[in-house]
Amino acid sequence: MAFSNQTKFIYLILAIFVFQVRSRTLIIEDAAIVEKHEEWMIHHGRIYHNSETKEKRFQIFQINRRNIHNFNKASNKTYELDLNHFADLTNKEFLTTYTGYRAQEVAQTINKSTKAPTDYHITDVPESIDWRQRGVVTGVKFQGECGSCWAFSAVAAVEALIGNGVSLSIQQLLDCTYESNGCRGGTMNSAFRYMAQNQGITLESFYPYQLMQTTCMISNGVIKIGGYEDVPPNDEEKLKGFVSMRPVSVAVDASSDYFRFYSNGIFPAQDCGNSLNHGVLLVGYGTSVDGIKYWLIKNSWGTQWGEDGYMRLERDASVYGGACGVAMDPSFPFL
C-alpha cells in the first residue's frame, strides 16, 4: 500500500518525537545511575585515582546494579540482594580477592595427635540454636583484600570455644601457618594444627591484622587448643548435632553473584554449587516462620554484607554436601 507524501511526513514527525522522548529518558536514567554510583562511593568510602579507573568501575557497577534490580523485582524469592561494598568488582575480581579456601593447594598431612576421638554420642539436639545469644560469638570482622577467610573462620571457632569475647590474632595464622599460603588461601584445619602444635595463638591487640602476609613473629600464645575434629562429611543431621554443642568451621561455595550480593532472607541451594572456596563459621540453625530450615553463618566480609554480616543458608536441601557444600568439610577445635 502506497503512502501519500503527507502521511510519510506525519510518520517522520512521530518517529523523531519518539526518538527524542527515548533519548531524554535514557539521559535521565543515565544521570540517575551516575548519581547512584556517586552516593555508593561516598557511603563505602571508595576513591578512584583517575577518570579511566572511575569509568571502568562505573560500567561494572552499572551491570551489577541492573542485575540486582532485576533479581529483586522477580517474585517467589526467599531472599534479596543489595548493592553492597563489592558492587564495582567483576565476579572474577571478587573471588580472587575475597575468598581463600584452597583445600587442593595446601598440604594435607594430618598429625594424628591433634585429632580427638570420634566416638561422640550427641543426644537431645534442640530444634534451633543461636550461639550469638549465648554470648560466645565475637563481632563480625572484615578480611579486606586478602584471601584469609580460612584464618578468620578458624579464629572465630576458637574465640567461640573460649567464649569470653576476646579477639584472637588472625595475623599470626597468616604469618606462621606454613601449611597454608597467607592471603593466597588455606584451610581451617591447617590453622587448627598450628594452634595445637605450636605456642598457641595470641591476642589480636598484640598481633594486629595487616591485610597481608608478613614475617612470622613467634610469641607465647594466650590460648593453646588441644586439637581439632572433623565432622563426618555430607551429613547435615550429624552436623546439626555438632553445631548444637559448639560453632563449627565450614567451607562453602561463594562463587555466585547471588552469594556476593546477598542482603537478607534464606539463601537457597539452587543458587550455588559445591566447589568450596570460602571459609565461614556455623553459629546456629533454625526454621523460618515460613517453615524453611536454615543454617546461620558468620562471614568475614564485614557488617555491610548480608544480615549484619550473617547469612541464613538453606538446611536439609536434599542436595549432595548440603546447600553451597556446607556439610562437605566441617571441623571444630577443642581444648
Side-chain angles (χ1 to χ4, degrees):
M1 181 176 62
F3 293 101
S4 66
N5 289 335
Q6 183 179 10
T7 301
K8 291 179 181 179
F9 179 74
I10 293 173
Y11 276 126
L12 177 61
I13 294 299
L14 287 173
I16 293 173
F17 175 76
V18 170
F19 174 79
Q20 290 176 336
V21 170
R22 287 180 176 175
S23 297
R24 283 195 296 270
T25 301
L26 289 174
I27 291 172
I28 293 172
E29 289 178 350
D30 287 344
I33 296 173
V34 169
E35 182 178 0
K36 183 70 175 179
H37 185 230
E38 294 290 339
E39 293 172 353
W40 178 87
M41 289 174 59
I42 293 171
H43 179 71
H44 294 289
R46 187 76 84 251
I47 298 175
Y48 304 118
H49 297 295
N50 54 63
S51 58
E52 290 79 10
T53 299
K54 184 175 182 179
E55 177 61 24
K56 175 183 177 180
R57 293 300 157 192
F58 171 72
Q59 294 301 327
I60 296 170
F61 174 89
Q62 191 173 17
I63 293 171
N64 287 329
R65 177 185 178 276
R66 181 173 62 248
N67 292 340
I68 290 170
H69 175 73
N70 291 338
F71 177 91
N72 288 337
K73 281 177 58 179
S75 59
N76 301 321
K77 299 293 184 181
T78 59
Y79 69 106
E80 293 181 317
L81 306 181
D82 187 33
L83 274 171
N84 58 31
H85 46 314
F86 304 129
D88 65 345
L89 301 173
T90 66
N91 183 262
K92 183 178 180 180
E93 290 171 333
F94 171 76
L95 294 177
T96 300
T97 306
Y98 291 100
T99 60
Y101 179 82
R102 303 285 188 265
Q104 293 79 17
E105 299 175 13
V106 297
Q108 293 297 300
T109 301
I110 298 176
N111 186 319
K112 295 297 183 181
S113 66
T114 64
K115 301 284 283 184
T118 57
D119 187 20
Y120 286 94
H121 299 284
I122 304 172
T123 59
D124 301 322
V125 177
E127 286 305 306
S128 66
I129 193 167
D130 184 344
W131 284 103
R132 297 175 301 179
Q133 298 174 357
R134 308 291 181 95
V136 302
V137 179
T138 55
V140 171
K141 302 173 184 179
F142 183 37
Q143 68 188 72
E145 296 181 1
C146 171
S148 52
C149 59
W150 58 277
F152 276 82
S153 173
V155 161
V158 175
E159 289 171 345
L161 177 65
I162 304 306
N164 58 9
V166 173
S167 290
L168 301 175
S169 177
I170 293 156
Q171 188 64 39
Q172 184 179 353
L173 296 182
L174 283 186
D175 294 347
C176 305
T177 306
Y178 296 121
E179 284 187 55
S180 290
N181 297 308
C183 287
R184 291 181 292 130
T187 65
M188 288 75 80
N189 283 359
S190 68
F192 293 147
R193 286 194 287 275
Y194 168 80
M195 288 185 276
Q197 295 170 355
N198 295 281
Q199 292 91 344
I201 187 167
T202 192
L203 300 176
E204 176 78 17
S205 57
F206 178 77
Y207 202 155
Y209 188 51
Q210 302 293 324
L211 284 88
M212 65 176 66
Q213 186 175 22
T214 61
T215 302
C216 179
M217 183 172 63
I218 300 298
S219 62
N220 292 324
V222 296
I223 299 297
K224 183 177 174 67
I225 65 172
Y228 71 96
E229 175 67 24
D230 290 324
V231 176
N234 307 320
D235 189 331
E236 290 192 81
E237 192 61 30
K238 287 183 179 179
L239 181 57
K240 175 184 174 184
F242 280 97
V243 176
S244 74
M245 298 169 60
R246 63 181 62 77
V248 173
S249 286
V250 297
V252 294
D253 181 352
S255 300
S256 73
D257 277 339
Y258 303 122
F259 200 106
R260 176 177 29 152
F261 294 123
Y262 167 81
S263 173
N264 63 82
I266 298 178
F267 193 87
Q270 67 189 34
D271 286 348
C272 57
N274 58 13
S275 298
L276 306 180
N277 61 3
H278 187 54
V280 294
L281 186 71
L282 289 186
V283 297
Y285 57 83
T287 305
S288 73
V289 294
D290 297 325
I292 304 175
K293 297 179 180 180
Y294 63 84
W295 295 109
L296 181 60
I297 284 177
K298 179 186 180 184
N299 203 347
S300 54
W301 291 342
T303 57
Q304 298 177 80
W305 178 86
E307 297 178 334
D308 297 322
Y310 291 86
M311 168 187 269
R312 285 178 291 160
L313 175 67
E314 185 180 4
R315 178 167 58 91
D316 292 344
S318 298
V319 297
Y320 178 78
C324 303
V326 67
M328 293 177 68
D329 194 18
S331 59
F332 59 87
F334 59 84
L335 293 177

